[in-house]
PDB file of all heavy atoms in Angstrom:
ATOM      1  N   PRO A 176      58.506  31.899-157.856  1.00  0.00           N
ATOM      2  CA  PRO A 176      58.365  32.191-156.422  1.00  0.00           C
ATOM      3  C   PRO A 176      57.971  30.942-155.635  1.00  0.00           C
ATOM      4  O   PRO A 176      57.220  30.104-156.137  1.00  0.00           O
ATOM      5  CB  PRO A 176      57.239  33.236-156.380  1.00  0.00           C
ATOM      6  CG  PRO A 176      57.224  33.837-157.739  1.00  0.00           C
ATOM      7  CD  PRO A 176      57.670  32.768-158.683  1.00  0.00           C
ATOM      8  N   ILE A 177      58.478  30.869-154.414  1.00  0.00           N
ATOM      9  CA  ILE A 177      58.308  29.649-153.616  1.00  0.00           C
ATOM     10  C   ILE A 177      56.829  29.319-153.406  1.00  0.00           C
ATOM     11  O   ILE A 177      56.442  28.151-153.347  1.00  0.00           O
ATOM     12  CB  ILE A 177      59.097  29.798-152.282  1.00  0.00           C
ATOM     13  CG1 ILE A 177      59.366  28.433-151.661  1.00  0.00           C
ATOM     14  CG2 ILE A 177      58.398  30.720-151.291  1.00  0.00           C
ATOM     15  CD1 ILE A 177      60.553  28.390-150.735  1.00  0.00           C
ATOM     16  N   GLU A 178      55.959  30.386-153.321  1.00  0.00           N
ATOM     17  CA  GLU A 178      54.520  30.148-153.093  1.00  0.00           C
ATOM     18  C   GLU A 178      53.870  29.472-154.294  1.00  0.00           C
ATOM     19  O   GLU A 178      52.836  28.828-154.175  1.00  0.00           O
ATOM     20  CB  GLU A 178      53.730  31.441-152.847  1.00  0.00           C
ATOM     21  CG  GLU A 178      54.331  32.544-152.000  1.00  0.00           C
ATOM     22  CD  GLU A 178      55.495  33.275-152.663  1.00  0.00           C
ATOM     23  OE1 GLU A 178      55.277  34.094-153.604  1.00  0.00           O
ATOM     24  OE2 GLU A 178      56.628  32.992-152.232  1.00  0.00           O
ATOM     25  N   GLN A 179      54.465  29.670-155.481  1.00  0.00           N
ATOM     26  CA  GLN A 179      53.822  29.132-156.684  1.00  0.00           C
ATOM     27  C   GLN A 179      54.288  27.738-157.072  1.00  0.00           C
ATOM     28  O   GLN A 179      53.827  27.178-158.060  1.00  0.00           O
ATOM     29  CB  GLN A 179      54.094  30.077-157.871  1.00  0.00           C
ATOM     30  CG  GLN A 179      53.388  31.420-157.734  1.00  0.00           C
ATOM     31  CD  GLN A 179      53.837  32.377-158.829  1.00  0.00           C
ATOM     32  OE1 GLN A 179      54.307  31.966-159.892  1.00  0.00           O
ATOM     33  NE2 GLN A 179      53.695  33.666-158.554  1.00  0.00           N
ATOM     34  N   ARG A 180      55.211  27.199-156.324  1.00  0.00           N
ATOM     35  CA  ARG A 180      55.765  25.917-156.762  1.00  0.00           C
ATOM     36  C   ARG A 180      54.740  24.788-156.555  1.00  0.00           C
ATOM     37  O   ARG A 180      53.969  24.794-155.592  1.00  0.00           O
ATOM     38  CB  ARG A 180      57.079  25.613-156.041  1.00  0.00           C
ATOM     39  CG  ARG A 180      56.943  25.396-154.553  1.00  0.00           C
ATOM     40  CD  ARG A 180      58.299  25.157-153.920  1.00  0.00           C
ATOM     41  NE  ARG A 180      58.144  24.955-152.480  1.00  0.00           N
ATOM     42  CZ  ARG A 180      59.146  24.748-151.653  1.00  0.00           C
ATOM     43  NH1 ARG A 180      60.385  24.747-152.091  1.00  0.00           N
ATOM     44  NH2 ARG A 180      58.927  24.554-150.371  1.00  0.00           N
ATOM     45  N   SER A 181      54.763  23.827-157.482  1.00  0.00           N
ATOM     46  CA  SER A 181      53.795  22.732-157.441  1.00  0.00           C
ATOM     47  C   SER A 181      54.266  21.631-156.489  1.00  0.00           C
ATOM     48  O   SER A 181      53.477  20.872-155.970  1.00  0.00           O
ATOM     49  CB  SER A 181      53.607  22.161-158.840  1.00  0.00           C
ATOM     50  OG  SER A 181      54.860  21.720-159.336  1.00  0.00           O
ATOM     51  N   ARG A 182      55.552  21.517-156.327  1.00  0.00           N
ATOM     52  CA  ARG A 182      56.129  20.553-155.371  1.00  0.00           C
ATOM     53  C   ARG A 182      57.439  21.151-154.883  1.00  0.00           C
ATOM     54  O   ARG A 182      57.914  22.155-155.449  1.00  0.00           O
ATOM     55  CB  ARG A 182      56.326  19.186-156.027  1.00  0.00           C
ATOM     56  CG  ARG A 182      57.278  19.209-157.192  1.00  0.00           C
ATOM     57  CD  ARG A 182      57.133  18.025-158.138  1.00  0.00           C
ATOM     58  NE  ARG A 182      57.225  18.494-159.528  1.00  0.00           N
ATOM     59  CZ  ARG A 182      58.360  18.809-160.139  1.00  0.00           C
ATOM     60  NH1 ARG A 182      59.510  18.685-159.512  1.00  0.00           N
ATOM     61  NH2 ARG A 182      58.379  19.252-161.374  1.00  0.00           N
ATOM     62  N   LYS A 183      58.010  20.538-153.879  1.00  0.00           N
ATOM     63  CA  LYS A 183      59.202  21.117-153.243  1.00  0.00           C
ATOM     64  C   LYS A 183      60.330  21.441-154.225  1.00  0.00           C
ATOM     65  O   LYS A 183      61.008  22.459-154.092  1.00  0.00           O
ATOM     66  CB  LYS A 183      59.743  20.126-152.202  1.00  0.00           C
ATOM     67  CG  LYS A 183      59.198  20.372-150.804  1.00  0.00           C
ATOM     68  CD  LYS A 183      59.875  19.437-149.820  1.00  0.00           C
ATOM     69  CE  LYS A 183      60.273  20.207-148.568  1.00  0.00           C
ATOM     70  NZ  LYS A 183      60.909  19.342-147.570  1.00  0.00           N
ATOM     71  N   THR A 184      60.520  20.556-155.192  1.00  0.00           N
ATOM     72  CA  THR A 184      61.686  20.738-156.050  1.00  0.00           C
ATOM     73  C   THR A 184      61.395  21.609-157.265  1.00  0.00           C
ATOM     74  O   THR A 184      62.301  21.899-158.054  1.00  0.00           O
ATOM     75  CB  THR A 184      62.194  19.368-156.547  1.00  0.00           C
ATOM     76  OG1 THR A 184      61.111  18.702-157.207  1.00  0.00           O
ATOM     77  CG2 THR A 184      62.694  18.510-155.407  1.00  0.00           C
ATOM     78  N   ASP A 185      60.147  22.035-157.417  1.00  0.00           N
ATOM     79  CA  ASP A 185      59.769  22.835-158.581  1.00  0.00           C
ATOM     80  C   ASP A 185      60.282  24.273-158.431  1.00  0.00           C
ATOM     81  O   ASP A 185      60.369  24.799-157.324  1.00  0.00           O
ATOM     82  CB  ASP A 185      58.231  22.829-158.688  1.00  0.00           C
ATOM     83  CG  ASP A 185      57.746  23.678-159.855  1.00  0.00           C
ATOM     84  OD1 ASP A 185      58.432  23.723-160.890  1.00  0.00           O
ATOM     85  OD2 ASP A 185      56.667  24.304-159.716  1.00  0.00           O
ATOM     86  N   GLY A 186      60.614  24.898-159.552  1.00  0.00           N
ATOM     87  CA  GLY A 186      60.877  26.333-159.547  1.00  0.00           C
ATOM     88  C   GLY A 186      62.334  26.729-159.403  1.00  0.00           C
ATOM     89  O   GLY A 186      62.663  27.911-159.303  1.00  0.00           O
ATOM     90  N   LEU A 187      63.229  25.735-159.405  1.00  0.00           N
ATOM     91  CA  LEU A 187      64.662  26.067-159.364  1.00  0.00           C
ATOM     92  C   LEU A 187      65.252  25.778-160.742  1.00  0.00           C
ATOM     93  O   LEU A 187      64.836  24.832-161.413  1.00  0.00           O
ATOM     94  CB  LEU A 187      65.370  25.213-158.313  1.00  0.00           C
ATOM     95  CG  LEU A 187      64.860  25.363-156.886  1.00  0.00           C
ATOM     96  CD1 LEU A 187      65.541  24.346-155.975  1.00  0.00           C
ATOM     97  CD2 LEU A 187      65.111  26.779-156.368  1.00  0.00           C
ATOM     98  N   SER A 188      66.209  26.605-161.146  1.00  0.00           N
ATOM     99  CA  SER A 188      66.834  26.379-162.451  1.00  0.00           C
ATOM    100  C   SER A 188      68.345  26.417-162.312  1.00  0.00           C
ATOM    101  O   SER A 188      68.889  27.123-161.452  1.00  0.00           O
ATOM    102  CB  SER A 188      66.392  27.445-163.460  1.00  0.00           C
ATOM    103  OG  SER A 188      64.993  27.403-163.606  1.00  0.00           O
ATOM    104  N   ALA A 189      68.996  25.657-163.177  1.00  0.00           N
ATOM    105  CA  ALA A 189      70.463  25.624-163.158  1.00  0.00           C
ATOM    106  C   ALA A 189      71.009  26.425-164.333  1.00  0.00           C
ATOM    107  O   ALA A 189      70.397  26.471-165.408  1.00  0.00           O
ATOM    108  CB  ALA A 189      70.947  24.174-163.235  1.00  0.00           C
ATOM    109  N   PHE A 190      72.133  27.070-164.102  1.00  0.00           N
ATOM    110  CA  PHE A 190      72.749  27.903-165.128  1.00  0.00           C
ATOM    111  C   PHE A 190      74.250  27.648-165.188  1.00  0.00           C
ATOM    112  O   PHE A 190      74.873  27.326-164.178  1.00  0.00           O
ATOM    113  CB  PHE A 190      72.553  29.390-164.810  1.00  0.00           C
ATOM    114  CG  PHE A 190      71.124  29.798-164.701  1.00  0.00           C
ATOM    115  CD1 PHE A 190      70.477  29.786-163.464  1.00  0.00           C
ATOM    116  CD2 PHE A 190      70.407  30.183-165.826  1.00  0.00           C
ATOM    117  CE1 PHE A 190      69.149  30.145-163.353  1.00  0.00           C
ATOM    118  CE2 PHE A 190      69.072  30.548-165.727  1.00  0.00           C
ATOM    119  CZ  PHE A 190      68.442  30.530-164.484  1.00  0.00           C
ATOM    120  N   ILE A 191      74.789  27.852-166.387  1.00  0.00           N
ATOM    121  CA  ILE A 191      76.248  27.879-166.523  1.00  0.00           C
ATOM    122  C   ILE A 191      76.646  29.353-166.442  1.00  0.00           C
ATOM    123  O   ILE A 191      76.241  30.156-167.290  1.00  0.00           O
ATOM    124  CB  ILE A 191      76.696  27.282-167.862  1.00  0.00           C
ATOM    125  CG1 ILE A 191      76.207  25.830-167.994  1.00  0.00           C
ATOM    126  CG2 ILE A 191      78.215  27.347-167.997  1.00  0.00           C
ATOM    127  CD1 ILE A 191      76.370  25.248-169.380  1.00  0.00           C
ATOM    128  N   VAL A 192      77.403  29.676-165.425  1.00  0.00           N
ATOM    129  CA  VAL A 192      77.782  31.081-165.225  1.00  0.00           C
ATOM    130  C   VAL A 192      79.234  31.274-165.646  1.00  0.00           C
ATOM    131  O   VAL A 192      80.122  30.549-165.188  1.00  0.00           O
ATOM    132  CB  VAL A 192      77.621  31.479-163.741  1.00  0.00           C
ATOM    133  CG1 VAL A 192      78.129  32.893-163.509  1.00  0.00           C
ATOM    134  CG2 VAL A 192      76.165  31.354-163.324  1.00  0.00           C
ATOM    135  N   ASP A 193      79.447  32.243-166.513  1.00  0.00           N
ATOM    136  CA  ASP A 193      80.812  32.590-166.895  1.00  0.00           C
ATOM    137  C   ASP A 193      81.380  33.520-165.831  1.00  0.00           C
ATOM    138  O   ASP A 193      80.880  34.627-165.623  1.00  0.00           O
ATOM    139  CB  ASP A 193      80.813  33.272-168.272  1.00  0.00           C
ATOM    140  CG  ASP A 193      82.211  33.296-168.868  1.00  0.00           C
ATOM    141  OD1 ASP A 193      83.185  33.297-168.078  1.00  0.00           O
ATOM    142  OD2 ASP A 193      82.321  33.321-170.105  1.00  0.00           O
ATOM    143  N   LEU A 194      82.413  33.054-165.145  1.00  0.00           N
ATOM    144  CA  LEU A 194      82.949  33.839-164.026  1.00  0.00           C
ATOM    145  C   LEU A 194      84.015  34.837-164.475  1.00  0.00           C
ATOM    146  O   LEU A 194      84.450  35.678-163.697  1.00  0.00           O
ATOM    147  CB  LEU A 194      83.557  32.894-162.987  1.00  0.00           C
ATOM    148  CG  LEU A 194      82.557  32.014-162.228  1.00  0.00           C
ATOM    149  CD1 LEU A 194      83.288  30.884-161.519  1.00  0.00           C
ATOM    150  CD2 LEU A 194      81.770  32.844-161.223  1.00  0.00           C
ATOM    151  N   ARG A 195      84.430  34.722-165.734  1.00  0.00           N
ATOM    152  CA  ARG A 195      85.496  35.615-166.188  1.00  0.00           C
ATOM    153  C   ARG A 195      84.945  37.041-166.309  1.00  0.00           C
ATOM    154  O   ARG A 195      83.997  37.280-167.049  1.00  0.00           O
ATOM    155  CB  ARG A 195      86.051  35.119-167.523  1.00  0.00           C
ATOM    156  CG  ARG A 195      86.828  33.813-167.359  1.00  0.00           C
ATOM    157  CD  ARG A 195      87.080  33.121-168.657  1.00  0.00           C
ATOM    158  NE  ARG A 195      85.831  32.684-169.283  1.00  0.00           N
ATOM    159  CZ  ARG A 195      85.772  31.986-170.418  1.00  0.00           C
ATOM    160  NH1 ARG A 195      86.868  31.672-171.051  1.00  0.00           N
ATOM    161  NH2 ARG A 195      84.606  31.624-170.923  1.00  0.00           N
ATOM    162  N   GLY A 196      85.508  37.917-165.548  1.00  0.00           N
ATOM    163  CA  GLY A 196      85.054  39.302-165.553  1.00  0.00           C
ATOM    164  C   GLY A 196      83.745  39.507-164.810  1.00  0.00           C
ATOM    165  O   GLY A 196      83.158  40.593-164.849  1.00  0.00           O
ATOM    166  N   ALA A 197      83.271  38.473-164.113  1.00  0.00           N
ATOM    167  CA  ALA A 197      81.961  38.563-163.458  1.00  0.00           C
ATOM    168  C   ALA A 197      81.936  39.613-162.358  1.00  0.00           C
ATOM    169  O   ALA A 197      80.873  40.157-162.041  1.00  0.00           O
ATOM    170  CB  ALA A 197      81.578  37.205-162.889  1.00  0.00           C
TER     171      ALA A 197
END
Side-chain angles (χ1 to χ4, degrees):
Chain A
I177 200 156
E178 320 71 74
Q179 292 172 23
R180 65 182 180 181
S181 58
R182 62 200 138 78
K183 267 185 135 179
T184 56
D185 178 34
L187 300 174
S188 301
F190 301 92
I191 301 169
V192 175
D193 196 332
L194 291 165
R195 291 165 295 183

